[in-house]
Amino acid sequence: MSSSGIFAVIKPDSGSSEETRVSAGLPRVPRRRRWWLLGASLGLVAASTVVTVMVVSAAWEREPMLLLARDVAWGQPVTGADVTTVELPPSARRFVVADADRGRVVGQVAAGNLRAGQLLSYSDVMAQGVPAVGQQVIGVRLPQGRFPARGLFPHDPVEVVTLSTAGTTAETVPSGSGFRARVVQVSPPDAEGAIVADLLIADSLAEQADAAAAGGALVKLLGPSS
């Protein structure tokens, strides 16, 4: 009697390798857990969370900044009633006065014509009032036709030309009679349409300005670079 010699090949189950080792009396190999890798991963997650929170907080953070509530003419003091607040990012402090610093600007005078709705910066105000040392303010009456049709406004640079009748009824413009000034403020027109313009001049121009105020003058508006 002969046997066919059939052999069965059994593949060991990888899931029971540890039990096979134990049953065979082989030493057990402990698994190595990479705790440092887990810790590093948790640290990265925590750092990312902190950065995200900081970025979102910075994007939404706001603080009150000063905004002009009404017009303030050049040379006029800025009062507490002239300003209000608007919420802006803290980075706006580079260009706008923060509400916490309003005491540094309220009480100073406007360095130019300030308009309602304009954000207020430190360059918009100045401590020196008008007139300053070495300056004078003189009022000159100007009938219709002696000033531009657009009118005159505070801070306008102008040239004032003194008129002279020279013994006749016709007014003439003497050569070299013009001098430069800056408008401080203007009165409303009177019944004849004439206005009185307060003009800021240097002390050295006082004689010419007095002649213009007494004998009549016309005013020409100058450009910014004039």
Side-chain angles (χ1 to χ4, degrees):
M1 182 176 178
S2 63
S3 61
S4 59
I6 299 175
F7 296 92
V9 179
I10 300 175
K11 186 177 180 179
D13 186 1
S14 58
S16 59
S17 59
E18 189 67 23
E19 297 178 0
T20 304
R21 284 179 175 273
V22 173
S23 61
L26 298 177
R28 184 173 183 176
V29 179
R31 293 181 180 178
R32 295 183 178 178
R33 300 176 184 246
R34 299 182 178 178
W35 294 108
W36 63 271
L37 184 59
L38 178 60
S41 300
L42 293 176
L44 287 174
V45 172
S48 299
T49 303
V50 171
V51 171
T52 302
V53 171
M54 292 177 62
V55 170
V56 172
S57 298
W60 287 98
E61 188 177 358
R62 294 288 188 272
E63 66 175 285
M65 304 286 180
L66 293 186
L67 181 79
L68 268 297
R70 58 190 182 186
D71 294 350
V72 181
W74 168 70
Q76 298 302 306
V78 178
T79 68
D82 294 328
V83 296
T84 183
T85 60
V86 61
E87 297 292 324
L88 293 175
S91 58
R93 278 177 172 264
R94 292 178 295 174
F95 315 102
V96 186
V97 180
D99 184 45
D101 299 326
R102 70 164 54 207
R104 298 174 58 183
V105 293
V106 171
Q108 298 200 42
V109 297
N113 292 322
L114 307 181
R115 303 301 181 194
Q118 171 185 338
L119 292 171
L120 187 64
S121 66
Y122 288 107
S123 61
D124 291 329
V125 296
M126 58 185 180
Q128 179 63 58
V130 177
V133 176
Q135 296 177 331
Q136 298 180 19
V137 174
I138 186 169
V140 178
R141 187 176 185 272
L142 300 171
Q144 285 185 324
R146 300 281 184 82
F147 58 92
R150 71 182 278 278
L152 297 174
F153 299 93
H155 206 50
D156 278 348
V158 296
E159 181 178 4
V160 182
V161 180
T162 305
L163 302 178
S164 173
T165 58
T168 67
T169 56
E171 292 177 319
T172 60
V173 181
S175 177
S177 64
F179 62 92
R180 297 192 176 189
R182 195 168 289 271
V183 179
V184 177
Q185 62 183 7
V186 180
S187 72
D190 61 16
E192 298 176 353
I195 63 171
V196 176
D198 287 348
L199 304 177
L200 180 68
I201 61 169
D203 283 344
S204 58
L205 299 173
E207 186 175 345
Q208 289 177 270
D210 290 343
L218 65 86
V219 170
K220 298 186 289 185
L221 182 66
L222 301 178
S225 59
S226 299

